[in-house]
Amino acid sequence: MSMKEDNFADWYLDIVEKAGLSDKRYPIKGMNVWTPYGWKIMRQIDTYIREEFDATAHDEVCFPLMIPETEFAKEKDHIKGFDEEVYWVTHAGLNELDVRLVIKPTSETAMYPMFSLWVRSHQDLPLKTYQIVNTFRYETKQTRPFIRVREIHFFESHTCHVSEEDAQCQVEEDVEILQRIARKICLPYTLLVRTEWDKFPGAHYTVGIDTSMPNGRTLQMGSIHHYRTNFSVPYDITYEDENGEHKHVHQTTFGMSERLVGALIGVHGDDKGLVMPPGIAPFQVVIIPIFSKKNSEEVLAACKALESALVAGGIRVKLDDRDDRPGSKYYDWEIKGVPLRLELGGRDIENGVVAFARRDNGEKGTISAADVVPGVRMLLDVISEDMLARAQEVQESRYQDIETLEDIPQDKILRFGWCGCEECGHRFEDTYDFKILGVPYVPVPFKGRCIICGEPTEKQAYAAHTM
Ligand code: ZN
């Protein structure tokens, strides 16, 4: 296996292959096959996302894959933002279509013509929906599993509200939901309001959700958008208020994709393989029986009893009773990143203990067999907290405040004063080949000067090389 620090790109591809996450040999470039273990991880994430959105009164929907060109073209900025990336369906059977169909790159233009039929009165609002679907974008840059693909497994919420303020409250709720999702996956992130020239096509503003990777580049894991009435006007989504007046709704969206899998590989993985956060690990615990010649039946029975106890305690567990050496089993489950390994042999049974090894930091010890379920739960919680704390520390170490444009460090996420004007922003991006990620969504007190023009400013910009 390649080493993470030496060659991140090769290391990443090695992990994807060796841990059995996806197979990129499918005969369409950038459309990869989810293989069983990778799909189990994605399903864990999807399940958690569903729980969060159901608990915050969003309803799950599922819209068609295709969008007529006539609907797709209604919002001018939106189509301009996507026209180089969309796949078109031009024929049905042998007939050329009168109206071409777009394979959805994102779902606004599929959903909003229907929203305009669904929303009638203020009593229909807020309308809070979400769906988990695949979207398609013709990527021209080099593809990379989970990070840059042409068929994207995607989650998106779409909401409609009576006012701009109500929609803003939804953005705040999305930020809280994101916080819980990121904690579950132990991923640090920043929330940055994207620049005007980088916001989602058609949005009033976009908040990018970025994490950082071992090669010093940032990865956008998702985004939250406030649309104001930018879509409800062209799609005619209106409601009748209490006074009988017709008004356009204010809309928001929140989307995240399979990039979460790419992020967890890059943030947590090490030279032995994946390190799965306990919250979404398909198997939180693997049990390895330590047989000797005389006791194999007794040990296997004890392992099965241990497995049943953990399953009953709501823990996702795998008993590896294959006919193989323990060392080779350790190796296999380390590649897959199972957070906690339990070992059980004759001596452990005699002593009333179960031996454990943590995947994240290699720590070993024993827990009492009598309290194995609470003992394992506690260990999983500690692993989760430690993984997040370590990842946050690493992310912190990648930031660098700069006050001059000389000797800009290339492998850091830069923070500096920016007056906010587009001219300065473009000049910085073009001259130094960095991308301005935006300014903090939650304002941080700052007083300084624009690093480009020298004007006093209270705005601090973040810039980085991006994945
Ligand atoms: Zn400036």
Side-chain angles (χ1 to χ4, degrees), residues 29-82:
K29 195 168 162 262
M31 295 193 187
N32 301 332
V33 179
W34 288 89
T35 42
Y37 191 61
W39 189 239
K40 279 188 173 70
I41 295 171
M42 195 68 241
R43 272 179 48 188
Q44 287 292 331
I45 296 174
D46 286 350
T47 300
Y48 185 67
I49 284 176
R50 282 196 170 93
E51 275 171 33
E52 276 295 333
F53 278 83
D54 290 347
T56 46
H58 291 72
D59 287 317
E60 187 169 3
V61 293
C62 189
F63 273 72
L65 180 66
M66 292 189 226
I67 305 163
E69 183 174 14
T70 41
E71 294 299 335
F72 186 68
K74 272 185 183 164
E75 210 291 329
K76 280 198 304 296
D77 287 341
H78 189 71
I79 182 156
K80 221 164 60 201
F82 280 105

Side-chain angles (χ1 to χ4, degrees), residues 193-425:
V193 180
R194 291 286 190 250
T195 58
E196 277 298 304
W197 60 94
D198 192 34
K199 67 184 184 184
F200 185 74
H204 162 45
Y205 71 81
T206 289
V207 183
I209 305 160
D210 300 300
T211 195
S212 70
M213 297 297 256
N215 58 1
R217 290 175 181 262
T218 57
L219 177 70
Q220 176 168 334
M221 300 189 289
S223 45
I224 300 169
H225 312 288
H226 193 312
Y227 290 157
R228 266 187 182 161
T229 59
N230 294 355
F231 284 93
S232 65
V233 169
Y235 288 92
D236 199 27
I237 311 171
T238 61
Y239 68 97
E240 193 176 306
D241 73 5
E242 279 136 337
N243 308 316
E245 212 177 306
H246 286 266
K247 289 181 172 161
H248 287 102
V249 299
H250 287 255
Q251 293 180 278
T252 76
T253 60
F254 173 18
M256 291 184 114
S257 73
E258 62 181 88
R259 276 191 170 185
L260 286 170
V261 178
L264 79 88
I265 297 169
V267 168
H268 300 305
D270 63 19
D271 292 337
K272 289 182 180 171
L274 265 185
V275 180
M276 287 301 299
I280 51 127
F283 306 115
Q284 295 167 305
V285 171
V286 58
I287 303 171
I288 312 279
I290 310 295
F291 298 123
S292 71
K293 273 182 193 142
K294 291 182 197 158
N295 68 4
S296 59
E297 267 175 42
E298 186 197 354
V299 167
L300 188 61
C303 286
K304 284 188 173 159
L306 176 60
E307 181 192 23
S308 305
L310 292 173
V311 169
I315 292 160
R316 297 187 291 277
V317 54
K318 175 85 180 175
L319 167 59
D320 186 351
D321 56 3
R322 289 178 298 166
D323 184 16
D324 203 350
R325 290 178 305 107
S328 125
K329 293 180 184 178
Y330 297 169
Y331 177 82
D332 289 350
W333 294 107
E334 275 170 356
I335 291 178
K336 290 196 181 309
V338 174
L340 193 63
R341 183 176 80 218
L342 298 182
E343 299 158 27
L344 197 53
R347 191 165 301 159
D348 302 312
I349 296 171
E350 269 168 37
N351 294 337
V353 295
V354 177
F356 73 82
R358 285 171 60 167
R359 173 67 181 89
D360 63 318
N361 65 1
E363 188 191 313
K364 290 179 182 165
T366 56
I367 36 181
S368 151
D371 300 318
V372 74
V373 173
V376 163
R377 273 207 203 112
M378 203 181 68
L379 275 169
L380 292 174
D381 285 347
V382 172
I383 291 170
S384 206
E385 282 163 28
D386 288 355
M387 283 178 71
L388 180 59
R390 263 196 310 275
Q392 268 164 344
E393 209 175 292
V394 170
Q395 169 136 322
E396 276 306 314
S397 73
R398 295 196 180 116
Y399 294 123
Q400 184 150 341
D401 295 308
I402 59 165
E403 282 170 12
T404 137
L405 291 170
E406 272 161 49
D407 301 326
I408 294 180
Q410 289 299 310
D411 57 349
K412 295 283 183 186
I413 301 163
L414 310 175
R415 291 187 294 211
F416 52 84
W418 173 41
C419 64
C421 89
E422 289 208 10
E423 202 190 321
C424 285

